[in-house]
Amino acid sequence: MIDGYELSTDPDRLDLDRVHHWLSTDAYWALGRGREKQERAVAGSLNFGVYARSGGEQVAYARVVTDHATFAWLCDVYVARSVRGAGIGTALVEGVCAELEPSGLRRVLLATADAHGLYAKSGFRPMPEPDQYMARGRP
């Protein structure tokens, strides 16, 4: 992790008010997400927080939906605007990947509209055969 910050998967450390505010007001993929829905997402996921060592303020968040055996989906990756550009996002994604590595997952997926370079640093690549994947969702 970056000097002055630490990564944790301890759910008791999460600042759920802050995470909900970040995602529901500033993350294009989660704008307007309700608090109850966010709490259900957190409860069903492996959550990662990045915290300032001095003061303990949470400055970043990510969650992973996984079976811990074959598959994971990395989502809701968010870095506070005040610390962007300091390498925290890259360190967060690398920390997530390191945490998942012992599970021997066959595939870790994510979706992004604008951070391809950040994820590429941690080994993510475009899907080699995207025509094999399908999605079902709401507009």
Side-chain angles (χ1 to χ4, degrees), residues 51-129:
Y51 305 89
R53 286 209 166 105
S54 63
E57 176 186 10
Q58 186 171 351
V59 299
Y61 173 76
R63 70 183 180 92
V64 175
V65 181
T66 183
D67 60 9
H68 298 281
T70 63
F71 176 81
W73 174 42
L74 173 59
C75 53
D76 287 347
V77 178
Y78 187 91
V79 177
R81 288 186 176 273
S82 62
V83 296
R84 288 184 187 169
I88 291 171
T90 299
L92 171 58
V93 173
E94 289 175 357
V96 168
C97 291
E99 180 77 18
L100 296 174
E101 188 65 31
S103 295
L105 303 174
R106 178 174 178 172
R107 186 166 286 119
V108 179
L109 296 181
L110 63 85
T112 185
D114 61 358
H116 296 80
L118 175 121
Y119 296 109
K121 293 175 187 177
S122 296
F124 287 90
R125 301 286 177 260
M127 307 260 298
E129 297 170 335

Side-chain angles (χ1 to χ4, degrees), residues 6-16 42 45-51 58 61-62 99:
E6 61 185 336
L7 178 69
S8 175
T9 58
D10 180 353
D12 293 333
R13 290 190 70 185
L14 291 173
D15 184 338
L16 294 178
V42 167
S45 302
L46 174 60
N47 299 279
F48 294 80
V50 176
Y51 305 89
Q58 186 171 351
Y61 173 76
E99 180 77 18

